[in-house]
Amino acid sequence: MASTALPPTSLNPYQQTHEEKEQQYPVHYRGVKDLVDNGSRTLPQIYVKPPDERLVINSDQQQIPLIDLSELEGAGRSATVEAIGRACRDWGFFLVKNHGVSESTMENEMRVGREFFHLPTEEKMRYFSTDHKSRMRYATSFNVKEDKTLNWRDFLRYSCKPLEEMVPLWPDKPTDFRKENAEYIRKIGDLASILLSAISESLGLPSEYINEVYGDYSQYMAYNFYPACPNPEQTLGLPGHSDPGGLTLLMQDDVGGLQVLHEDHWVVVRPVPNTLVINLGDQLQILSNDIYKSVEHRAVVNSNRERISVATAYGPSMSTLIAPAPQLVNSSSPAVYKGCVYGDFLDSLESGSLHKKSVLDCLKLDMS
Ligand code: OGA
Ligand code: NI
């Protein structure tokens, strides 16, 4: 009788046994935490970055703006919107405080993430996949199959939508991972939508313009885990990149390592308790017709302490066509980009590596 078992080589990570994955993947696919736990005291060559990628041109003089959101829904709305607009124009990055996500919700979100990365590698490998389209996966580097040099970073990335469908696919260890994530995701999603209203207004668009364009928006979470590193100056946690989506809302712990490219200097984004780091992705650069930029940033690592961050990528639905807002286009400011369906944009980006601005450049209209 024919067997009904799935072939053992099935690429569905949920259907592969641990042994199958072991046989299939090189050892460095298991992540940098695994490498360190197995006693590696030097940096393997594959993590060494070319010198131009790890250039240190830090500026200690400047800091990204910190915006207090406590007055956003009150009498101080127009001043707050103006401050947000200025930060978007000048930096593409800002910190927010009094943002409505409670201290305990933030702490719990960090704690369950940290506990996940401290699980045995075998447990994390249950979720391992090289498929960048996977809606739930644990992996390392950026695109471990394609990257020429690897990044000192393990990550867990998963979709939040539809929530009821996604929750059962999330890790079941630590036991409160799903509960805490469901809570954080709701709160951070509300904040994203509030910020997008303010950003719309700051561009002179109707308050709900961007939220309406995004429609049935997408929301992805990514925990980034950066273990202490033997030779941190030779590698990077994440190389310079811009975020492809709409808005990124990042919570980082107290270690620090995020840097933003500003006027040709890498400016350190210092950790400030109870703040979130907000930055604009490529889809807002396109929609704003280059009034706002999706700014390059990177994560450096250090030899003393592991670091964790959790990024929320809030953007259009995959089938949404993103183009410059017609209200921002006129004869003196012609459209800089042609429109592109967000899902197609991601496909072009993710089939390559984390290239700076390459997909965005392809969408540029000929201005000559
Ligand atoms: C990202 C990112 C920076 C950090 O996840 O896209 O840029 O500090 N993270 O972890
Ligand atoms: Ni990023």
Side-chain angles (χ1 to χ4, degrees):
M1 222 172 84
S3 163
T4 53
L6 284 163
T9 51
S10 160
L11 281 176
N12 182 340
Y14 298 105
Q15 290 166 353
Q16 287 179 310
T17 65
H18 174 59
E19 286 71 27
E20 282 164 9
K21 286 184 180 172
E22 284 276 87
Q23 285 162 9
Q24 200 173 338
Y25 301 123
V27 67
H28 62 259
Y29 281 33
R30 294 162 62 85
V32 274
K33 174 81 167 61
D34 184 77
L35 197 74
V36 172
D37 289 349
N38 281 300
S40 185
R41 293 285 171 269
T42 52
L43 189 73
Q45 190 61 33
I46 194 166
Y47 293 94
V48 174
K49 298 287 179 192
D52 63 324
E53 259 189 56
R54 50 186 154 96
L55 271 187
V56 184
I57 350 164
N58 287 348
S59 161
D60 295 332
Q61 316 302 320
Q62 290 178 299
Q63 292 186 334
I64 70 168
L66 169 57
I67 298 175
D68 184 345
L69 297 183
S70 54
E71 284 292 312
L72 185 59
E73 305 298 329
R77 184 169 181 89
S78 63
T80 312
V81 166
E82 203 185 307
I84 290 173
R86 210 175 313 120
C88 291
R89 198 172 300 112
D90 297 348
W91 286 84
F93 263 83
F94 52 99
L95 295 175
V96 291
K97 64 175 182 180
N98 296 318
H99 43 63
V101 185
S102 77
E103 214 173 307
S104 64
T105 301
M106 291 174 71
E107 272 171 20
N108 285 329
E109 178 71 1
M110 286 302 231
R111 176 180 52 78
V112 294
R114 200 173 283 114
E115 286 175 11
F116 175 82
F117 287 97
H118 281 272
L119 290 170
T121 305
E122 281 58 40
E123 183 63 31
K124 290 182 280 189
M125 288 302 277
R126 285 174 59 202
Y127 307 100
F128 178 83
S129 167
T130 55
D131 177 6
H132 58 74
K133 286 203 154 166
S134 172
R135 291 195 295 164
M136 160 68 218
R137 68 175 181 132
Y138 162 77
T140 188
S141 195
F142 171 66
N143 187 346
V144 70
K145 248 165 86 178
E146 310 284 340
D147 297 341
K148 290 195 184 65
T149 59
L150 297 183
N151 305 325
W152 196 260
R153 165 219 191 206
D154 298 336
F155 68 96
L156 182 72
R157 184 172 183 276
Y158 45 99
S159 171
C160 311
K161 289 192 73 190
L163 196 60
E164 314 69 52
E165 202 178 292
M166 289 310 302
V167 172
L169 299 180
W170 296 346
D172 51 8
K173 291 193 188 86
T175 47
D176 47 355
F177 184 97
R178 293 176 181 175
K179 177 175 148 283
E180 296 304 343
N181 265 273
E183 168 73 10
Y184 183 77
I185 280 160
R186 266 188 217 106
K187 293 284 158 54
I188 203 83
D190 289 348
L191 175 62
S193 165
I194 287 167
L195 286 169
L196 287 175
S197 302
I199 291 172
S200 291
E201 280 179 44
S202 75
L203 287 164
L205 297 168
S207 187
E208 286 316 302
Y209 182 86
I210 300 174
N211 282 312
E212 281 169 12
V213 168
Y214 283 7
D216 185 20
Y217 63 90
S218 60
Q219 188 177 349
Y220 269 82
M221 302 292 294
Y223 279 104
N224 300 303
F225 187 80
Y226 309 96
C229 176
N231 293 96
E233 62 291 336
Q234 291 194 25
T235 189
L236 288 166
L238 269 178
H241 66 281
S242 66
D243 292 346
L247 202 64
T248 303
L249 304 91
L250 184 102
M251 172 165 56
Q252 61 169 338
D253 67 12
D254 62 342
V255 176
L258 174 61
Q259 302 182 339
V260 173
L261 193 59
H262 180 70
E263 294 167 356
D264 298 328
H265 287 76
W266 289 104
V267 174
V268 173
V269 180
R270 70 204 190 281
V272 181
N274 297 318
T275 64
L276 294 159
V277 186
I278 312 296
N279 67 289
L280 278 59
D282 296 341
Q283 305 312 308
L284 284 176
Q285 178 164 340
I286 297 171
L287 182 138
S288 74
N289 202 32
D290 262 358
I291 297 174
Y292 295 163
K293 294 286 187 338
S294 160
V295 168
E296 206 178 308
H297 54 285
R298 68 182 185 181
V300 299
V301 289
N302 74 86
S303 57
N304 299 319
R305 293 178 66 192
E306 68 183 36
R307 171 170 182 256
I308 190 166
S309 69
V310 51
T312 304
Y314 189 100
S317 76
M318 294 299 155
S319 57
T320 299
L321 179 81
I322 296 293
Q327 297 94 320
L328 303 176
V329 174
N330 53 50
S331 53
S332 56
S333 315
V336 180
Y337 303 100
K338 58 184 169 197
C340 182
V341 173
Y342 181 45
D344 295 344
F345 187 97
L346 291 180
D347 282 349
S348 323
L349 185 80
E350 284 165 347
S351 57
S353 198
L354 195 63
H355 281 311
K356 306 167 203 164
K357 303 277 181 194
S358 52
V359 185
L360 212 55
D361 284 343
C362 290
L363 296 176
K364 277 220 154 122
L365 291 164
D366 188 1
M367 309 285 262
S368 56

